[in-house]
């Protein structure tokens, strides 16, 4: 993918085939010590690429076209719904419904879905006026980048976290601890460093680089920068983690093979970022303000995805309970009810975000604050997994493989001793392997860790929630209650003047 050309004709909505074509761009991509020349055909990436391509093709299906896309009033082009700037509650709810469709198709497993990342590009667009006031031209850059992404339906990633080298040290003392700006010249800025855990980077067109909430006031301004680049930019190296879905899709790994988004380290080897791709530079105060603003819609869409994940866990747990005849046990129903409550609460959080929606300074309608619900989601993520794990118990560990089931010597014993209630051994094996994939194997553990960390440090989020919560009215009532009673001679037989004086005294208290 090349940098945007103002004269180029936008390519419009992605198709699966065009996505594959554009992904084979020659980027410097490494897996297990070897360079990957084409992620589209590489066996570690191909199933995930095919799944994303299938979902992108649904935008062109007449049955879903109106929900998943909208007609841009300025250009007349069809654009993916996630990029739509909502100005009314109806448009905001359409964005939610579109994301619900996408995440239902992926069973809540795509944390960095195109629908999610489009909402962050939308947040950058919304914040453009403040970026422009801070530095002439940066707001215009942000708007041009958003238009480029929306008009070409780009699949995006974002990079926030610094490498885990020595979190007790300050980057000012050891510059390799954080991505930094080395120089500025006529072409742009030169950056060196790394960004950790860039989910979907191997399968995305571009990456948006900005700062996590963990950067501190002590950090030098050379570490404060927002920009976006194509992932085939010279000097940008992408290192993938070990794949989690490399087994053939089917009996053993129905989720991992299709939905492993891949996480990556990005190394910036003195990369030149053109000036028209820089959005914020050397302004820590603005970066802290902007972090919440540009993620207003993504936090909302993230809840849509988490609700679908909880529904997947609930349905799987119910099927597992039914398959071994424990679904009528009181304790099992109580656990399933708790999991159902989690899913329902997530729905209510989404409704509350819409009810509290506010118009931003750029005229868009942003969902209400979701800070408390994000903390709650991280807190219950482990409990949701534990419920499914407890119901499946030891059965999650011992299930026959496809080759076991095909063995004529083994099959009679499998049919006799490894069947379920009303289901044969093969169906039960597929179901329990799905449950294991959600709770125990590498893919499941990665998804669980993602739930815990992707919303940011849980302790910091709790502290910030405490500091932001308005207790003033309740504190005032309690402090009035704790004040000593006003000394007065008034009693049951006191005259009206005394009563009046007492009332005046009460009214005069703060």
């Amino acid at each position: 993918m090349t940098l945007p050309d103002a004269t180029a004709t936008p390519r419009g909505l992605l198709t699966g085939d065009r996505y594959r074509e554009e992904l084979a761009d020659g980027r410097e991509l490494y897996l297990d010590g070897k360079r990957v020349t084409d992620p589209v055909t590489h066996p570690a990436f191909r199933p995930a690429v095919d799944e994303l391509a299938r979902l992108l093709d649904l935008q062109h299906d007449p049955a879903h076209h109106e929900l998943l896309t909208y007609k841009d009033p300025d250009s007349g082009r069809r654009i993916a719904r996630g990029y739509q700037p909502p100005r009314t509650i109806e448009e905001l709810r359409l964005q939610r419904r579109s994301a619900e469709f996408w995440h239902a198709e992926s069973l809540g497993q795509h944390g960095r879905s195109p629908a999610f990342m489009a909402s962050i590009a939308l947040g950058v667009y919304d914040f453009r006026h403040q970026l422009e006031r801070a530095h002439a031209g940066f707001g215009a850059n942000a708007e041009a980048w958003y238009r480029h992404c929306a008009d070409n339906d780009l699949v995006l990633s974002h990079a926030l976290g610094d490498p885990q080298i020595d979190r007790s040290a300050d980057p000012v003392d050891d510059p390799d601890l954080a991505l930094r700006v080395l120089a500025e010249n006529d072409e742009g800025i030169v950056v060196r460093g790394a960004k950790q855990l860039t989910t979907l980077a191997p399968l995305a067109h571009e990456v948006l680089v900005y700062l996590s909430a963990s950067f501190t006031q002590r950090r030098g301004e050379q570490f404060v920068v927002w920009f976006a680049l194509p992932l085939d930019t010279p000097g940008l190296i992408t290192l993938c983690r070990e794949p989690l879905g490399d087994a053939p899709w089917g009996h053993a790994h129905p989720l991992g093979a299709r939905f492993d988004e891949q996480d990556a380290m990005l190394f910036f080897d003195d990369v030149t970022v053109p000036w028209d791709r820089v959005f914020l530079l050397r302004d820590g105060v603005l970066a802290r303000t902007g972090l919440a603003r540009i993620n207003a819609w993504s936090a909302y869409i993230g809840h849509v995805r988490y609700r679908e994940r909880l529904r997947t866990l609930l349905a799987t747990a119910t099927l597992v309970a039914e398959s071994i005849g424990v679904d009528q046990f009181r304790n099992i129903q109580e656990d399933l009810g708790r999991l159902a409550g989690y899913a329902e609460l997530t729905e209510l959080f989404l409704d509350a975000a819409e009810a509290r929606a506010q118009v931003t300074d750029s005229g868009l309608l942003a969902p209400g604050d979701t800070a408390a619900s994000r903390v709650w989601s991280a807190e219950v993520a482990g409990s949701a997994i534990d419920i499914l794990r407890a119901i499946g118990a030891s059965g999650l560990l011992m299930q026959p493989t496809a080759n076991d089931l095909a063995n004529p010597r083994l099959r009679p014993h499998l049919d006799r001793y490894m069947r379920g209630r009303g289901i044969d051994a093969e169906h039960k094996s597929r179901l329990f392997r799905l449950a294991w994939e959600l709770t125990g194997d590498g893919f499941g553990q990665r998804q669980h860790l993602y739930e815990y960390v992707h919303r940011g440090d849980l302790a910091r989020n709790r502290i910030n929630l405490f500091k932001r919560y308005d207790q003033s009215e309740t504190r005032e009532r309690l402090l009035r209650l704790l004040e000593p009673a006003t000394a007065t001679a008034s009693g049951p037989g006191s005259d009206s003047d005394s009563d009046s004086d007492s009332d005046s005294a009460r009214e005069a208290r703060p």
Side-chain angles (χ1 to χ4, degrees):
M1 195 73 190
T2 57
L3 292 171
D5 180 354
T7 64
T9 302
R11 303 192 72 181
L13 288 172
L14 269 175
T15 63
D17 286 344
R18 199 185 103 212
Y19 171 60
R20 293 185 183 93
E21 169 197 324
E22 293 176 351
L23 201 57
D25 55 13
R27 66 188 63 192
E28 193 170 356
L29 177 66
Y30 292 89
L31 174 66
D32 194 27
K34 298 176 180 143
R35 183 163 181 177
V36 176
T37 56
D38 183 5
V40 175
T41 59
H42 193 284
F45 303 106
R46 187 177 62 246
V49 170
D50 288 346
E51 180 62 19
L52 281 167
R54 181 187 74 83
L55 292 168
L56 291 166
D57 278 336
L58 291 176
Q59 296 181 129
H60 302 270
D61 186 329
H64 312 301
H65 190 58
E66 289 298 322
L67 175 61
L68 300 181
T69 71
Y70 78 104
K71 189 174 182 179
D72 180 52
D74 297 324
S75 67
R77 285 187 292 271
R78 301 299 300 192
I79 291 176
R81 180 72 68 180
Y83 283 111
Q84 181 177 11
R87 291 180 170 83
T88 66
I89 191 64
E90 291 77 16
E91 290 176 345
L92 185 62
R93 287 172 177 159
L94 271 172
Q95 193 181 68
R96 169 178 168 179
R97 286 177 50 209
S98 174
E100 285 172 344
F101 177 89
W102 182 282
H103 289 299
E105 286 288 320
S106 57
L107 298 172
Q109 304 305 307
H110 269 165
R112 286 298 176 270
S113 72
F116 175 86
M117 284 305 305
S119 68
I120 295 183
L122 175 64
V124 173
Y125 171 73
D126 176 64
F127 198 58
R128 67 193 186 281
H129 299 303
Q130 294 196 43
L131 297 173
E132 185 69 23
R133 283 195 292 270
H135 191 291
F138 283 179
N141 292 348
E143 179 171 2
W145 177 73
Y146 159 78
R147 297 287 182 194
H148 171 63
C149 295
D151 288 345
N152 293 282
D153 198 15
L154 299 189
V155 176
L156 305 174
S157 179
H158 65 162
L160 295 85
D162 296 324
Q164 287 180 315
I165 299 173
D166 183 357
R167 293 289 171 88
S168 69
D170 193 313
V172 173
D173 301 320
D174 183 354
D176 285 338
L177 298 179
L179 183 78
R180 67 191 186 278
V181 178
L182 287 180
E184 302 177 25
N185 55 44
D186 291 342
E187 293 182 34
I189 61 174
V190 180
V191 297
R192 177 188 295 173
K195 283 291 183 178
Q196 178 170 294
L197 204 66
T198 309
T199 300
L200 199 67
L203 310 181
H205 291 101
E206 297 209 5
V207 61
L208 172 67
V209 178
Y210 55 113
L211 299 170
S212 73
S214 62
F215 84 95
T216 66
Q217 295 279 2
R218 292 188 304 149
R219 173 172 290 185
E221 293 295 279
Q222 71 268 31
F223 300 101
V224 180
V225 61
W226 290 7
F227 61 88
L229 284 175
L231 282 150
D232 65 347
T233 298
L236 177 53
I237 303 168
T238 303
L239 173 64
C240 303
R241 61 156 166 76
E242 181 181 359
L244 301 173
D246 54 350
W249 172 35
H251 182 89
H253 296 270
L255 297 178
R258 296 170 64 188
F259 302 124
D260 185 13
E261 301 174 292
Q262 258 295 344
D263 306 295
M265 286 286 292
L266 296 184
F267 303 119
F268 295 81
D269 189 15
D270 294 3
V271 173
T272 295
V273 182
W275 279 118
D276 61 3
R277 284 308 195 94
V278 180
F279 312 139
L280 184 150
L281 185 63
R282 307 182 191 279
D283 191 337
V285 173
L286 186 63
R288 278 183 287 274
T289 301
L291 181 63
R293 276 288 301 275
I294 70 173
N295 284 284
W297 289 272
S298 69
Y300 170 70
I301 298 303
H303 273 304
V304 173
R305 196 269 319 158
Y306 188 54
R307 185 200 67 169
E308 197 58 42
R309 174 169 167 79
L310 289 171
R311 293 169 99 180
T312 297
L313 289 168
L314 173 60
T316 304
T318 303
L319 288 169
V320 167
E322 291 171 352
S323 76
I324 55 176
V326 300
D327 53 303
Q328 296 304 309
F329 291 9
R330 181 180 176 86
N331 63 309
I332 299 297
Q333 291 189 345
E334 181 183 8
D335 283 344
L336 292 173
R338 187 149 51 100
L339 195 47
Y342 293 163
E344 179 66 14
L345 280 171
T346 309
E347 184 83 12
L348 296 177
F349 288 144
L350 288 165
D351 293 342
E354 292 170 1
R356 295 182 174 187
Q358 294 184 335
V359 178
T360 70
D361 58 6
S362 73
L364 303 189
L365 188 67
D369 184 32
T370 58
S373 50
R374 293 198 304 274
V375 167
W376 173 88
S377 297
E379 289 173 337
V380 304
S383 177
I385 291 291
D386 287 343
I387 290 170
L388 174 54
R389 185 184 290 124
I391 294 173
S394 60
L396 298 178
L397 294 173
M398 185 61 232
Q399 292 299 324
T401 68
N403 288 333
D404 291 335
L405 290 160
N407 187 303
R409 171 68 173 143
L410 293 173
R411 186 60 188 254
H413 298 284
L414 302 181
D415 286 337
R416 184 171 186 178
Y417 298 114
M418 301 195 77
R419 72 190 192 280
R421 186 182 65 176
I423 58 174
D424 63 20
E426 182 170 353
H427 184 90
K428 182 184 176 185
S429 176
R430 288 178 180 271
L431 171 61
F432 272 69
R433 284 180 175 277
L434 171 65
W436 173 247
E437 207 174 10
L438 285 167
T439 62
D441 78 351
F443 176 79
Q445 291 304 307
R446 183 269 174 196
Q447 299 298 84
H448 177 44
L449 182 60
Y450 175 88
E451 294 300 345
Y452 189 77
V453 303
H454 89 96
R455 299 174 182 89
D457 179 70
L458 183 56
R460 183 188 63 244
N461 289 344
R462 288 182 180 129
I463 292 168
N464 288 340
L465 186 62
F466 161 68
K467 289 180 175 179
R468 290 165 50 192
Y469 192 80
D470 184 2
Q471 302 185 60
S472 56
E473 290 187 9
T474 307
R475 283 171 58 91
E476 186 179 350
R477 292 190 188 99
L478 290 175
L479 290 172
R480 286 201 303 266
L481 180 66
L482 294 173
E483 288 178 359
T486 302
T488 176
S490 301
S494 43
D495 58 29
S496 58
D497 289 340
S498 297
D499 288 339
S500 176
D501 291 341
S502 178
D503 288 342
S504 298
R506 281 195 295 270
E507 291 173 0
R509 291 177 195 156

